[in-house]
Amino acid sequence: MNSEFIIAVHSLVLLAHRPDGMASSEEIATNVCTNPVRVRKVMSCLRKNGFVDTREGSGGGYRLSRDPGDMTLADVYRALAAGSLAPKWCSGDPESDCMVGSNMGEVMNEVFCGADQQLERYLESITIGQMLSRLTAMAKA
C-alpha cells in the first residue's frame, strides 16, 4: 500500500469531519503530519477523480464533492494505488532453462493480481463515512 492512499483517506475523512467541509492543504498537512506539497499532489489526483472540489482565495481550500457515504476506500484505492501490492522486482529469468526460474515471475504476478483483487473487494465494503463513524466512536469511548 502506498502512502498516497493513506494521505487521501485521511484527507477525505478530515474534510467529512469539518463542519464547513473545507480545509487548506496546510491544514490537511498538519493533521496528516506530512508536507503540504505531498497533500497538494494527492488532492490534485482526488480532484481529477471527482472526490473533491477546490475554492480559490481567502478561506479557500478543498471540500468534498461527493457524499462520504458514497465514497468507498476501493474508489480511492483505484484512483491512487491500484496495483501497488505488486513488487517492482521479481526473481527468475524468463529465458532460463529451469522451469522455476523461467516461470516464477508470471506465477508471482498472478498471486499479486489475486491479492489486489481481494483487497479491492474488502475496501469496497468501507466508506469514508464509515471511517468517520469509527473515529467518532473511538473519540467517545
Side-chain angles (χ1 to χ4, degrees), residues 39-76:
V39 168
R40 283 190 287 275
K41 177 183 172 196
V42 169
M43 298 306 281
S44 174
C45 185
L46 291 175
R47 186 177 51 76
K48 288 177 189 169
N49 284 279
F51 293 94
V52 297
D53 292 320
T54 56
R55 185 169 53 175
E56 302 293 325
S58 179
Y62 300 95
R63 66 174 166 231
L64 296 180
S65 59
R66 294 169 48 190
D67 183 276
D70 294 335
M71 286 187 262
T72 69
L73 297 191
D75 296 331
V76 179

